[in-house]
Amino acid sequence: MTVPESAGEQRRVLLAAPRGYCAGVDRAVVTVEKALELYGPPVYVRKEIVHNKHVVRTLEKRGAIFVEETDEVPEGARVIFSAHGVSPAVHAEARALSLRTIDATCPLVTKVHREAIRFAGEDYTILLVGHTGHEEVEGTAGEAPENTIVVENPEHAAVVEVPNPEKLAWLSQTTLSVDETMQTVAILRERFPHLQDPPSDDICYATQNRQVAVKQMAAECDLMIVVGSQNSSNSKRLVEVALEHGSRDGHLVDYADEIDEAWLDGVSTVGVTSGASVPEVLVRDVLDWLAERGYADVSAVTAAEESLLFALPTELRRDLKAAGQEAAKVKHDPSSIPSGRGTELR
């Protein structure tokens, strides 16, 4: 191991706060853990419960079986729907297979689903700002497919065609870049002055808070390391936000050993944060890796304090209560997800 050349300044790390697990991810991971404890393996999960490779592999080792589609679950088995939400069609498929379902959809995603149902019921066309193919977008659009048009970005907003410009509303995926979403909506509003807003922000509080923290520190960072998986929308947005707000370089990694030492050449200040589905132990691994290379001075950059907890899904709470366990609101135990350094989970 070589210690990188720097610009002659003291090497330091700026550590973003908040980072890592949001309340919706916390709830979803605990749901799978509690289901495995209560019912025993296997417990099926449709799609990845959250978009983090390490979390999924940890739960697989405990007996969770992740499937892409509902029809891969044996008839009559128990299945958990992921934090990203599912469409009514998926619920119907589960009923047809007599599956015992536990819906771990994040309550903030459920809120967007309800908004889609309401706007569609009033015969609005819904412009859903988000990424085509993302599970959350598929679930929300599935609430009103005939009324929904997905708008990918500002460029798409400039050309999208709508059936009735006077009956339009916009909603968004909860994990987008706040700035790009507002640019997209501004273009839509300029083209369609009658565009209706959602009752409240769709981009979740955790996504916004993590982006604000990165904005506050980016200009001081020669390098921003975001811990998160490639299929995590909110994690990828953090890299983009860092680069847009002054960080000289930025990278997304699942594990500390994915960091290239060449990235540290000439770097005095490294920023570190993580996406909303990342266990804190993976961030600690990155901090240890950096400390071994001379970046042991760590300072927190705090944008907000978070204390929100969501109740576990109704179906699971019912069964826990019947088993004599109280679980209205349960916070994830960080020790339940092992380190990514030198473990057999890799």
Side-chain angles (χ1 to χ4, degrees):
M1 179 181 67
T2 58
V3 176
E5 294 291 333
S6 73
E9 301 176 26
Q10 181 182 4
R11 299 184 188 96
R12 63 173 182 156
V13 175
L14 298 181
L15 180 62
R19 62 185 175 277
Y21 276 6
C22 63
V25 165
D26 212 330
R27 173 181 186 261
V29 174
V30 172
T31 293
V32 179
E33 292 175 334
K34 288 289 182 183
L36 287 166
E37 292 172 11
L38 183 62
Y39 310 118
V43 170
Y44 290 85
V45 184
R46 185 184 182 275
K47 306 290 188 182
E48 294 186 353
I49 186 67
V50 296
H51 283 162
N52 184 263
K53 185 193 306 183
H54 190 70
V55 171
V56 168
R57 288 177 178 173
T58 300
L59 295 173
E60 280 179 332
K61 288 185 68 67
R62 294 179 189 165
I65 297 176
F66 292 87
V67 299
E68 283 299 305
E69 299 300 338
T70 314
D71 60 11
E72 297 174 52
V73 181
E75 187 169 355
R78 182 172 280 104
V79 63
I80 298 173
F81 294 141
S82 79
H84 308 103
V86 298
S87 69
V90 172
H91 285 284
E93 290 170 3
R95 286 192 297 272
L97 290 168
S98 302
L99 301 181
R100 292 169 289 174
T101 61
I102 298 174
D103 191 352
T105 301
C106 173
L108 299 180
V109 174
T110 299
K111 176 185 78 72
V112 182
H113 281 224
R114 289 173 179 158
E115 291 167 354
I117 293 167
R118 180 175 70 82
F119 278 127
E122 297 173 5
D123 202 29
Y124 278 81
T125 295
I126 300 163
L127 299 177
L128 176 58
V129 182
H131 301 301
T132 301
H134 190 281
E135 288 104 294
E136 183 186 328
V137 170
E138 290 180 348
T140 302
E143 295 286 1
E146 295 180 359
N147 291 68
T148 303
I149 300 171
V150 177
V151 179
E152 292 271 351
N153 50 39
E155 293 74 24
H156 190 187
V159 298
V160 66
E161 298 294 334
V162 301
N164 182 357
E166 296 189 357
K167 289 281 283 186
L168 285 178
W170 72 273
L171 301 174
S172 82
Q173 184 179 331
T174 63
T175 55
L176 300 179
S177 160
V178 176
D179 293 340
E180 182 173 302
T181 300
M182 291 303 98
Q183 292 170 17
T184 300
V185 172
I187 292 169
L188 292 173
R189 192 176 306 285
E190 184 175 348
R191 293 186 63 209
F192 310 117
H194 294 283
L195 183 69
Q196 294 292 307
D197 295 324
S200 59
D201 285 347
D202 284 346
I203 297 178
C204 89
Y205 77 96
T207 296
Q208 295 189 50
N209 288 345
R210 282 148 188 73
Q211 290 178 17
V212 169
V214 166
K215 289 178 184 179
Q216 290 179 358
M217 58 198 271
E220 297 184 58
C221 295
D222 303 302
L223 168 68
M224 184 73 70
I225 296 174
V226 178
V227 186
S229 293
Q230 288 295 331
N231 62 341
S232 167
S233 175
N234 77 89
S235 298
K236 292 174 76 172
R237 301 294 83 74
L238 290 173
V239 177
E240 294 171 0
V241 168
L243 295 173
E244 289 166 1
H245 286 82
S247 182
R248 196 179 75 199
D249 192 13
H251 297 275
L252 180 66
V253 299
D254 267 296
Y255 298 103
D257 62 14
E258 294 176 2
I259 302 171
D260 187 339
E261 289 198 34
W263 299 345
L264 299 176
D265 288 347
V267 167
S268 296
T269 301
V270 180
V272 175
T273 189
S274 60
S277 51
V278 176
E280 180 65 11
V281 67
L282 299 186
V283 177
R284 295 294 153 185
D285 287 347
V286 168
L287 295 178
D288 290 345
W289 189 96
L290 289 169
E292 291 167 1
R293 289 154 180 81
Y295 297 85
D297 178 6
V298 180
S299 300
V301 177
T302 303
E305 299 288 341
E306 294 179 353
S307 59
L308 180 65
L309 288 176
F310 291 132
L312 292 172
T314 303
E315 308 93 339
L316 182 58
R317 280 188 284 128
R318 178 198 62 215
D319 290 351
L320 286 168
K321 184 176 180 181
Q325 299 182 40
E326 184 59 42
K329 292 185 179 179
V330 176
K331 187 167 178 60
H332 172 75
D333 174 9
S335 68
S336 71
I337 301 291
S339 170
R341 300 192 78 180
T343 75
E344 59 184 55
L345 289 174
R346 295 300 304 275

